[in-house]
């Protein structure tokens, strides 16, 4: 077996593991998992991302007022960030004040978008993304000593998804994909 390139090392309960760089076969198979999951989600009645806005409006979770507030916050944040980066504010106290203002704008933007983002996982695309990510975790975690995969399959990973190893591996993979 060809040795996988180590990317991220970690320990769980005094045992060492690593996350290996995926090869083209892993990426192709991940795409197949995505496609199969997307098809099943659509067949099961999941909504598509493009209709999420309409669905949220029907449920009273989103409206023109929230959209306008969101758009305004994004514009204000971009303008303020540009001014900060361009050096418009010379005094440290002024720069600190504007940085705090930008932080508040971003926090409010995150609050507004949290409802939208939480709904993303119910879409067919969101479900397919989650299944594809799980597949990638299942094929990329290796035992450091044996250099062999920890999970025998996607199903094996999903069956042990509450274990300490699976949780840490998921977090490491998620941080690595940022």
């Amino acid at each position: 077996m060809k040795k996988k390139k180590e990317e991220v090392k970690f320990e769980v309960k005094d045992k060492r593991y690593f996350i290996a760089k995926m090869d083209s076969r892993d990426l192709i198979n991940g795409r197949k998992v995505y496609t199969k999951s997307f098809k099943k989600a659509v067949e099961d009645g999941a909504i598509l991302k493009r209709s999420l806005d309409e669905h949220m409006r029907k449920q009273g979770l989103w409206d023109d007022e929230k959209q306008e507030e969101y758009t305004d916050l994004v514009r204000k944040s971009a303008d303020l960030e540009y001014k900060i980066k361009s050096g418009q504010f010379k005094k440290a106290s002024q720069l600190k004040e504007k940085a705090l203002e930008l932080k508040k704008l971003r926090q409010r933007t995150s609050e507004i978008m949290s409802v939208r983002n939480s709904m993303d996982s119910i879409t067919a695309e969101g479900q397919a993304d989650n299944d594809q990510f799980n597949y990638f975790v299942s094929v990329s975690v290796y035992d450091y000593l044996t250099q062999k995969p920890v999970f025998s399959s996607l199903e094996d990973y999903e069956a042990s998804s509450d274990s300490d190893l699976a949780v840490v591996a998921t977090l490491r993979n998620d941080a690595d994909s940022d």
Side-chain angles (χ1 to χ4, degrees), residues 68-81:
E68 188 176 320
E69 182 182 4
Y70 170 74
T71 303
D72 189 49
L73 286 166
V74 169
R75 183 188 53 74
K76 285 179 180 177
S77 295
D79 290 347
L80 187 54
E81 184 175 4

Side-chain angles (χ1 to χ4, degrees), residues 22 27 29-42 46-49 52 117 119-138 154 157-158 170 173-174 177:
M22 288 183 286
L27 297 173
N29 288 335
R31 195 68 187 145
K32 289 177 183 176
V33 167
Y34 178 96
T35 302
K36 183 178 177 182
S37 177
F38 178 82
K39 181 180 181 220
K40 181 175 179 346
V42 169
I47 61 173
L48 300 175
K49 275 188 183 180
L52 183 59
N117 294 340
M119 296 294 290
D120 185 54
S121 65
I122 69 163
T123 65
E125 294 92 340
Q127 292 175 43
D129 283 338
N130 288 338
D131 288 345
Q132 182 182 48
F133 178 79
N134 288 345
Y135 172 78
F136 289 152
V137 174
S138 76
L154 172 59
Y157 166 74
E158 289 174 336
T170 300
N173 265 283
D174 196 32
S177 67

Side-chain angles (χ1 to χ4, degrees), residues 105-123:
L105 287 170
R106 288 180 173 165
Q107 285 174 334
R108 180 63 187 142
T109 303
S110 291
E111 289 169 11
I112 291 172
M113 288 307 291
S114 68
V115 173
R116 274 190 98 84
N117 294 340
S118 69
M119 296 294 290
D120 185 54
S121 65
I122 69 163
T123 65

